[in-house]
Amino acid sequence: MIPIPRRTASRAFLAAALILAVGGCGLGEEIEREVNPDLDLPSTSASSAGTERPGGVHADELPEGLPSGLDVRPTEAPSADPTDACPSSGVRMLPGLVEAAMGLRAMTVTLTNCGTKSYAVNGYPAVQVLDQDREPVDVRVLRGPEEITTGVPDPGPHKVTLKPGESATTSLVWRNTVTEADVPAVDAPYLRVATAKGRPAQVLAPEGGIDLGTTGRLGTGAWTKASRAS
């Protein structure tokens, strides 16, 4: 497999930056393994203790008709400014920075309850990758990151109730590798994300886009409550 570089920084710089940025979620160890395969690091569990979750389940496969079962009502504008009016759903989603090293990509989507009532989520987001025309791209969205990397822990499905002002996060991971020369590489600018199937979706525009190469897979983590900023 041939990694497609996204940045010109050295491997050591990328590893250090990623460890600082997402070390708390376990991706730091995965980046260390990729930069130095001989480094002996403990493996990271894909799910929290006592929490069972179906592994390797493919979510949001694109069926005929309405893809992925997502709400077909109008979606919000891409990457809404956090100072904008709260969406009618009562929640706002914003994409984090796309972190990259050695072909591995990771980003966080933050869900904030900007409404006046509590909002509950349980499990995995419903995600679609969209092209420039906001048409769905044929990508398998996986429940759990294990098929992409073992370095990002997944808490597994559990109920998260957000009071007004509270937030939850989900992790998205993928690899930018090209394994088939005759298959066009995917580099999509948008994501359509709903907190769960059947709920209103919002269109996000991650900086740098979603460059899946020819892998055709995107891993997701279950929603987990975010710590309040100190």
Side-chain angles (χ1 to χ4, degrees):
M1 296 188 294
I2 306 173
I4 299 178
R6 285 175 60 85
R7 303 181 183 180
T8 58
S10 66
R11 293 181 178 181
F13 175 82
L14 286 172
L18 282 173
I19 292 168
L20 288 174
V22 292
C25 70
L27 184 57
E29 289 184 0
E30 173 68 11
I31 301 303
E32 285 281 13
R33 290 191 188 95
E34 299 227 359
V35 173
N36 185 359
D38 296 327
L39 188 62
D40 186 14
L41 289 173
S43 60
T44 305
S45 175
S47 60
S48 58
T51 302
E52 294 186 2
R53 180 185 60 76
V57 179
H58 298 157
D60 307 325
E61 302 255 6
L62 299 178
E64 294 182 0
L66 297 178
S68 304
L70 290 178
D71 196 302
V72 296
R73 287 173 283 180
T75 58
E76 306 297 329
S79 301
D81 189 305
T83 62
D84 288 349
C86 185
S88 59
S89 61
V91 292
R92 177 186 293 113
M93 285 181 276
L94 291 174
L97 294 175
V98 176
E99 303 293 343
M102 299 290 293
L104 178 64
R105 307 286 191 257
M107 67 171 286
T108 298
V109 173
T110 300
L111 169 74
T112 299
N113 182 351
C114 56
T116 59
K117 300 179 180 179
S118 294
Y119 188 91
V121 290
N122 189 342
Y124 298 87
V127 180
Q128 281 184 302
V129 179
L130 306 179
D131 63 18
Q132 187 66 43
D133 298 322
R134 301 194 192 183
E135 293 295 328
V137 178
D138 189 10
V139 171
R140 284 195 303 157
V141 178
L142 313 175
R143 289 184 175 180
E146 296 88 350
E147 290 190 31
I148 310 297
T149 175
T150 58
V152 177
D154 179 15
H158 61 288
K159 187 175 182 179
V160 177
T161 301
L162 303 176
K163 297 178 182 178
E166 292 185 329
S167 299
T169 60
T170 181
S171 297
L172 306 182
V173 294
W174 66 96
R175 290 187 182 275
N176 175 27
T177 51
V178 174
T179 58
E180 301 175 67
D182 58 342
V183 176
V186 172
D187 194 351
Y190 301 118
L191 290 172
R192 179 180 287 126
V193 184
T195 57
K197 284 188 175 182
R199 287 188 172 182
Q202 298 179 25
V203 174
L204 309 180
E207 184 176 353
I210 307 297
D211 57 337
L212 295 165
T214 60
T215 61
R217 299 184 303 174
L218 177 74
T220 65
W223 291 109
T224 186
K225 198 165 189 176
S227 300
R228 282 188 177 273
S230 55

